Amino acid sequence: PFEEKIAVLEKENWLSPRLVKLKEFPISIFHAARLNLTAPERLLGGSQQVPVIISMTTIPSRLRKLALVLRSLLQQTVRPEKIVVWMHQEMQSQIPKAVKSLLENPKTLDLIELRFTPLKCSHKKLIHTIDAFPNHTIVTCDDDFMYHKEWLNTLYQDHLAFPNSVIAQQIRSIERFEDGQLKPYKQWRYQPDLNQDPNSFLALHPDYSNQELFMRFAPKADDLWFKAMELRQNTPVRRCSKIVPEPIPIMGTQSFSLKKENVDRDLNVQQWQSLSDHFNLPV
């Protein structure tokens, strides 16, 4: 069954889109400095390796901060088999020195892999990794946050308990008015109670990699596209039983955000309506 190929899926795209708040500046600066000043070999946290691939993508405007994200993933209390970063092929000559140093360090070079693709949209961080690692558990993350050191372990432990479910640290519920019309995205409930129907949560139908379909119905919302594929496959979604502190936003990465654009213009609602209509989805 396809859901066995993608048993854990951490969708940070479901976090509320926002710029870094003023009170978060000192926290962001402190953790960025700590990560940057720590030698790569000392970042490596846990000695236990878990059979998980962490997958992400990045864009040119965030390349300078990519090393910070990678460093936060290296300091996890358990080690993934690999951290894969998908980039558009035009970025191949733009890799910053800070990232190259991690790729060249003998302690971390086997953990990090950069891969390139002609695909520009954010869907690439999952569809390509599923194809490249068909028998692995995949965890996705974003390129503008530093992650808590227990982030990966909590997801993996819940995956062991619920191997055929999608596990997420943060979830949002798709909401409709009584007449069936979708509510504005800002009214889609954040972290709903655990008794709510899991079908409404934001693993995949075999159409997950159909580029013609996802570019037609959800070109700027990979999270909604993958949610539609979950529903078509009847894959349940569970909120992680242990919630760790939220990822820390990285200063200088959020001047442009698909999440912010989708909410400000309510593009999420438009794209979900298109997906719901085309696939006759239950929510």
Side-chain angles (χ1 to χ4, degrees):
F2 184 79
E3 57 265 31
E4 292 180 5
K5 297 167 65 176
I6 169 109
V8 177
L9 175 59
E10 165 65 352
K11 292 303 297 176
E12 293 295 348
N13 280 354
W14 299 341
L15 289 172
S16 299
R18 55 176 172 78
L19 297 177
V20 180
K21 297 175 182 176
L22 185 60
K23 66 180 182 180
E24 293 174 327
F25 284 1
I27 299 172
S28 181
I29 292 170
F30 171 79
H31 284 280
R34 178 182 60 82
L35 289 171
N36 277 328
L37 293 173
T38 305
E41 57 270 19
R42 295 188 62 188
L43 279 172
L44 296 173
S47 57
Q48 178 190 1
Q49 185 181 75
V50 293
V52 166
I53 305 294
I54 296 180
S55 184
M56 60 181 293
T57 185
T58 192
I59 55 178
S61 64
R62 293 179 176 173
L63 262 180
R64 292 187 303 108
K65 305 294 185 178
L66 176 60
L68 277 176
V69 186
L70 294 174
R71 284 171 170 267
S72 77
L73 299 176
L74 289 173
Q75 69 162 0
Q76 297 295 305
T77 55
V78 294
R79 298 189 192 187
E81 284 190 24
K82 194 173 291 292
I83 302 167
V84 180
V85 185
W86 290 98
M87 303 181 189
H88 187 262
Q89 56 196 18
E90 294 177 354
M91 298 168 63
Q92 197 159 358
S93 61
Q94 304 172 21
I95 309 305
K97 290 182 179 179
V99 175
K100 288 182 179 179
S101 70
L102 295 175
L103 296 173
E104 295 167 356
N105 188 296
K107 295 291 186 180
T108 57
L109 62 86
D110 291 333
L111 279 175
I112 302 171
E113 183 176 339
L114 306 185
R115 294 197 176 201
F116 301 91
T117 171
L119 199 63
K120 288 188 174 183
C121 59
S122 56
H123 305 63
K124 61 181 175 288
K125 72 179 174 187
L126 187 53
I127 62 173
H128 290 331
T129 305
I130 293 173
D131 291 341
F133 302 94
N135 298 313
H136 283 72
T137 296
I138 299 168
V139 179
T140 67
C141 68
D142 279 350
D143 62 343
D144 52 351
F145 291 97
M146 294 171 282
Y147 290 85
H148 188 273
K149 63 182 181 179
E150 283 289 342
W151 169 78
L152 180 59
N153 187 41
T154 57
L155 291 168
Y156 183 67
Q157 294 305 315
D158 270 29
H159 160 62
L160 295 179
F162 306 101
N164 294 322
S165 295
V166 170
I167 310 296
Q169 274 281 340
Q170 304 288 352
I171 54 180
R172 183 182 291 274
S173 178
I174 298 165
E175 298 284 339
R176 293 181 181 269
F177 292 108
E178 291 184 1
D179 63 3
Q181 293 296 311
L182 284 166
K183 293 182 179 180
Y185 183 75
K186 291 180 180 180
Q187 295 182 36
W188 292 11
R189 287 200 288 173
Y190 183 51
Q191 293 187 357
D193 63 71
L194 299 180
N195 295 321
Q196 193 165 348
D197 180 4
N199 279 339
S200 68
F201 296 157
L202 296 179
L204 308 175
H205 187 275
D207 278 343
Y208 73 93
S209 60
N210 189 318
Q211 184 173 346
E212 189 276 328
L213 288 177
F214 67 66
M215 290 305 293
R216 190 199 321 173
F217 298 115
K220 295 186 176 184
D222 61 305
D223 53 342
L224 297 184
W225 169 252
F226 293 126
K227 176 60 200 173
M229 297 301 102
E230 293 164 13
L231 287 171
R232 295 184 69 197
Q233 194 69 7
N234 297 314
T235 303
V237 177
R238 293 178 179 271
R239 186 185 178 207
C240 198
S241 58
K242 181 179 179 181
I243 304 302
V244 299
E246 287 190 10
I248 299 168
I250 298 173
M251 292 179 59
T253 62
Q254 303 189 358
S255 58
F256 171 77
S257 169
L258 275 180
K259 293 173 285 185
K260 186 174 188 302
E261 181 184 12
N262 282 340
V263 172
D264 287 350
R265 297 169 55 192
D266 237 348
L267 296 183
N268 275 331
V269 170
Q270 298 174 31
Q271 290 172 101
W272 185 254
Q273 189 66 62
S274 296
L275 289 165
S276 183
D277 292 345
H278 181 78
F279 294 118
N280 193 26
L281 299 176
V283 294

